[in-house]
Amino acid sequence: MSSDSLVPETNVLAIASHVVHGYVGNTMAAFVMQVLGCEVAALNTVQFSNHTGYGQLKGTKSSAQEILDIYEGLKQSYLTDFDVMLSGYAPSAESVEAIGSIARDLRLKGTMKPGSFFWVLDPVMGDEGQIYVNEDVIPVYKNLIRDADLIIPNLFEAELLSDTKITSLSSLSAAIATLHQIHRIPHIIITSVNFSSSPLTISIVGSTARADLSPRLFKIDVPSIDCVFSGTGDMFAALTVVRFRQAASTAGLRGTRSWVSPDEVGATQLPLAKAAEQVMASMHTVLEKTKVARDEALEGMLELDHESRKLRVRRTKAAEVRIVRNLADLRESTVVWRAEGLGLDNGNEVEDGKERLE
């Protein structure tokens, strides 16, 4: 493995769910960060047999106090020298508040050293118009996101956080501007973006705020893959931790608050954009190979009752991300899809100096 593919020495606190079987939550994120060179302390918010895609599960949820107790144990043993915190699924509003208090405590420790602590927040609340947490979680996240350095909501979650109905790149730009300006979030990446009637591509849209909190918008389009995967959001977040820390180091920003580039750096040259290009390259390759393996595993099953629970389980298991078998694609990725600068002029989209109607 090339030394260039390794993140600078990094200690990460990862707070998310855990499953015994499959790759979602910390089972995915901790593994990805570890194989790319991070030291990861995994604090699990739930302990489940498997993820919800199987239609049933068994397990337990950690209370807010249990989450805080584990962190307090780390503090008492002087084990909280974390450079980055990555937080994902939390089972309750109280758990989200507990995670926020942990992040603020870690931030306080690094007050005298700008850039020494960085919080990546994945505000897991729902997707495709469906909320799958209690609704009292939403206002807690709204109050909390101003403490994060980078948030990674999907399109639906971005709507909830910004109170903006997102139906186009123009309204998406407005939502990002709101998150920058009202909540003062330095970095944002919104995933699962597709305003086209065609399912052939899917996009991410990201931005790093300027000093005046205006956005520097970029977009990356990749071909969509006709398969339902679980854990891809956790994979994206974990890869982003690694690649953004690398890119910030290369740009000499790790001693800068929130690793924010000077205003003269354009959208496509932002470390966040460069990191996202690598993330999308690795993910797409791994998921393509997962799709091939899934199709091979499902050959001969079509004669089964398509509504049967057993077939659902087999299909879900066959689509588990083949992360272990494809480590090389995590470590060494060939960037194919580049970030495009995205500006808006009178409601029209402007990409690479060309204007087109949405």
Side-chain angles (χ1 to χ4, degrees), residues 295-307:
D295 292 347
E296 292 174 351
L298 290 178
E299 285 181 3
M301 291 186 186
L302 295 180
E303 69 276 8
L304 297 176
D305 179 3
H306 283 213
E307 300 302 318

PDB file of all heavy atoms in Angstrom, residues 295-307:
ATOM      1  N   ASP A 295     -25.546 -10.113  -7.949  1.00  0.00           N
ATOM      2  CA  ASP A 295     -26.251 -10.762  -9.050  1.00  0.00           C
ATOM      3  C   ASP A 295     -25.856 -12.226  -9.165  1.00  0.00           C
ATOM      4  O   ASP A 295     -26.703 -13.099  -9.425  1.00  0.00           O
ATOM      5  CB  ASP A 295     -25.962 -10.029 -10.358  1.00  0.00           C
ATOM      6  CG  ASP A 295     -26.584  -8.639 -10.398  1.00  0.00           C
ATOM      7  OD1 ASP A 295     -27.437  -8.335  -9.531  1.00  0.00           O
ATOM      8  OD2 ASP A 295     -26.194  -7.841 -11.280  1.00  0.00           O
ATOM      9  N   GLU A 296     -24.575 -12.511  -8.961  1.00  0.00           N
ATOM     10  CA  GLU A 296     -24.124 -13.907  -9.014  1.00  0.00           C
ATOM     11  C   GLU A 296     -24.734 -14.712  -7.880  1.00  0.00           C
ATOM     12  O   GLU A 296     -25.145 -15.863  -8.061  1.00  0.00           O
ATOM     13  CB  GLU A 296     -22.598 -13.956  -8.936  1.00  0.00           C
ATOM     14  CG  GLU A 296     -21.902 -13.391 -10.175  1.00  0.00           C
ATOM     15  CD  GLU A 296     -20.390 -13.322 -10.008  1.00  0.00           C
ATOM     16  OE1 GLU A 296     -19.898 -13.550  -8.877  1.00  0.00           O
ATOM     17  OE2 GLU A 296     -19.700 -13.021 -11.006  1.00  0.00           O
ATOM     18  N   ALA A 297     -24.817 -14.114  -6.696  1.00  0.00           N
ATOM     19  CA  ALA A 297     -25.370 -14.831  -5.538  1.00  0.00           C
ATOM     20  C   ALA A 297     -26.857 -15.118  -5.688  1.00  0.00           C
ATOM     21  O   ALA A 297     -27.369 -16.101  -5.142  1.00  0.00           O
ATOM     22  CB  ALA A 297     -25.119 -14.019  -4.269  1.00  0.00           C
ATOM     23  N   LEU A 298     -27.568 -14.269  -6.449  1.00  0.00           N
ATOM     24  CA  LEU A 298     -29.017 -14.426  -6.579  1.00  0.00           C
ATOM     25  C   LEU A 298     -29.423 -15.285  -7.772  1.00  0.00           C
ATOM     26  O   LEU A 298     -30.614 -15.568  -7.944  1.00  0.00           O
ATOM     27  CB  LEU A 298     -29.675 -13.052  -6.705  1.00  0.00           C
ATOM     28  CG  LEU A 298     -29.655 -12.187  -5.444  1.00  0.00           C
ATOM     29  CD1 LEU A 298     -30.287 -10.835  -5.719  1.00  0.00           C
ATOM     30  CD2 LEU A 298     -30.362 -12.872  -4.284  1.00  0.00           C
ATOM     31  N   GLU A 299     -28.471 -15.715  -8.576  1.00  0.00           N
ATOM     32  CA  GLU A 299     -28.808 -16.568  -9.707  1.00  0.00           C
ATOM     33  C   GLU A 299     -29.491 -17.840  -9.215  1.00  0.00           C
ATOM     34  O   GLU A 299     -29.044 -18.485  -8.273  1.00  0.00           O
ATOM     35  CB  GLU A 299     -27.550 -16.932 -10.501  1.00  0.00           C
ATOM     36  CG  GLU A 299     -27.020 -15.789 -11.349  1.00  0.00           C
ATOM     37  CD  GLU A 299     -25.788 -16.197 -12.136  1.00  0.00           C
ATOM     38  OE1 GLU A 299     -25.403 -17.384 -12.051  1.00  0.00           O
ATOM     39  OE2 GLU A 299     -25.202 -15.338 -12.820  1.00  0.00           O
ATOM     40  N   GLY A 300     -30.588 -18.202  -9.859  1.00  0.00           N
ATOM     41  CA  GLY A 300     -31.287 -19.428  -9.471  1.00  0.00           C
ATOM     42  C   GLY A 300     -32.327 -19.233  -8.399  1.00  0.00           C
ATOM     43  O   GLY A 300     -33.014 -20.182  -8.031  1.00  0.00           O
ATOM     44  N   MET A 301     -32.478 -18.014  -7.883  1.00  0.00           N
ATOM     45  CA  MET A 301     -33.459 -17.776  -6.826  1.00  0.00           C
ATOM     46  C   MET A 301     -34.781 -17.222  -7.349  1.00  0.00           C
ATOM     47  O   MET A 301     -35.732 -17.063  -6.589  1.00  0.00           O
ATOM     48  CB  MET A 301     -32.901 -16.792  -5.791  1.00  0.00           C
ATOM     49  CG  MET A 301     -31.771 -17.351  -4.964  1.00  0.00           C
ATOM     50  SD  MET A 301     -31.301 -16.200  -3.654  1.00  0.00           S
ATOM     51  CE  MET A 301     -29.873 -17.054  -2.989  1.00  0.00           C
ATOM     52  N   LEU A 302     -34.840 -16.915  -8.629  1.00  0.00           N
ATOM     53  CA  LEU A 302     -36.021 -16.237  -9.162  1.00  0.00           C
ATOM     54  C   LEU A 302     -37.276 -17.104  -9.107  1.00  0.00           C
ATOM     55  O   LEU A 302     -38.392 -16.584  -9.146  1.00  0.00           O
ATOM     56  CB  LEU A 302     -35.757 -15.801 -10.601  1.00  0.00           C
ATOM     57  CG  LEU A 302     -34.657 -14.749 -10.771  1.00  0.00           C
ATOM     58  CD1 LEU A 302     -34.497 -14.394 -12.246  1.00  0.00           C
ATOM     59  CD2 LEU A 302     -34.992 -13.492  -9.980  1.00  0.00           C
ATOM     60  N   GLU A 303     -37.103 -18.428  -8.993  1.00  0.00           N
ATOM     61  CA  GLU A 303     -38.285 -19.282  -8.951  1.00  0.00           C
ATOM     62  C   GLU A 303     -38.962 -19.237  -7.580  1.00  0.00           C
ATOM     63  O   GLU A 303     -40.074 -19.713  -7.411  1.00  0.00           O
ATOM     64  CB  GLU A 303     -37.907 -20.735  -9.287  1.00  0.00           C
ATOM     65  CG  GLU A 303     -37.050 -21.433  -8.231  1.00  0.00           C
ATOM     66  CD  GLU A 303     -35.571 -21.130  -8.380  1.00  0.00           C
ATOM     67  OE1 GLU A 303     -35.236 -20.264  -9.206  1.00  0.00           O
ATOM     68  OE2 GLU A 303     -34.769 -21.761  -7.675  1.00  0.00           O
ATOM     69  N   LEU A 304     -38.294 -18.650  -6.589  1.00  0.00           N
ATOM     70  CA  LEU A 304     -38.883 -18.545  -5.261  1.00  0.00           C
ATOM     71  C   LEU A 304     -39.978 -17.481  -5.255  1.00  0.00           C
ATOM     72  O   LEU A 304     -40.011 -16.589  -6.104  1.00  0.00           O
ATOM     73  CB  LEU A 304     -37.812 -18.180  -4.233  1.00  0.00           C
ATOM     74  CG  LEU A 304     -36.691 -19.201  -4.030  1.00  0.00           C
ATOM     75  CD1 LEU A 304     -35.672 -18.642  -3.048  1.00  0.00           C
ATOM     76  CD2 LEU A 304     -37.234 -20.528  -3.529  1.00  0.00           C
ATOM     77  N   ASP A 305     -40.870 -17.579  -4.301  1.00  0.00           N
ATOM     78  CA  ASP A 305     -41.934 -16.586  -4.133  1.00  0.00           C
ATOM     79  C   ASP A 305     -41.305 -15.216  -3.879  1.00  0.00           C
ATOM     80  O   ASP A 305     -40.597 -15.024  -2.899  1.00  0.00           O
ATOM     81  CB  ASP A 305     -42.825 -17.002  -2.958  1.00  0.00           C
ATOM     82  CG  ASP A 305     -43.938 -16.001  -2.698  1.00  0.00           C
ATOM     83  OD1 ASP A 305     -44.041 -15.019  -3.459  1.00  0.00           O
ATOM     84  OD2 ASP A 305     -44.692 -16.211  -1.742  1.00  0.00           O
ATOM     85  N   HIS A 306     -41.589 -14.266  -4.760  1.00  0.00           N
ATOM     86  CA  HIS A 306     -40.960 -12.951  -4.652  1.00  0.00           C
ATOM     87  C   HIS A 306     -41.401 -12.215  -3.394  1.00  0.00           C
ATOM     88  O   HIS A 306     -40.761 -11.253  -2.982  1.00  0.00           O
ATOM     89  CB  HIS A 306     -41.284 -12.114  -5.887  1.00  0.00           C
ATOM     90  CG  HIS A 306     -40.477 -12.516  -7.077  1.00  0.00           C
ATOM     91  ND1 HIS A 306     -40.064 -11.637  -8.033  1.00  0.00           N
ATOM     92  CD2 HIS A 306     -39.990 -13.727  -7.464  1.00  0.00           C
ATOM     93  CE1 HIS A 306     -39.369 -12.271  -8.976  1.00  0.00           C
ATOM     94  NE2 HIS A 306     -39.320 -13.532  -8.646  1.00  0.00           N
ATOM     95  N   GLU A 307     -42.486 -12.625  -2.794  1.00  0.00           N
ATOM     96  CA  GLU A 307     -42.960 -11.955  -1.584  1.00  0.00           C
ATOM     97  C   GLU A 307     -42.501 -12.670  -0.315  1.00  0.00           C
ATOM     98  O   GLU A 307     -42.795 -12.231   0.779  1.00  0.00           O
ATOM     99  CB  GLU A 307     -44.501 -11.879  -1.599  1.00  0.00           C
ATOM    100  CG  GLU A 307     -45.066 -11.108  -2.780  1.00  0.00           C
ATOM    101  CD  GLU A 307     -44.542  -9.694  -2.839  1.00  0.00           C
ATOM    102  OE1 GLU A 307     -44.450  -9.041  -1.772  1.00  0.00           O
ATOM    103  OE2 GLU A 307     -44.200  -9.231  -3.943  1.00  0.00           O
TER     104      GLU A 307
END
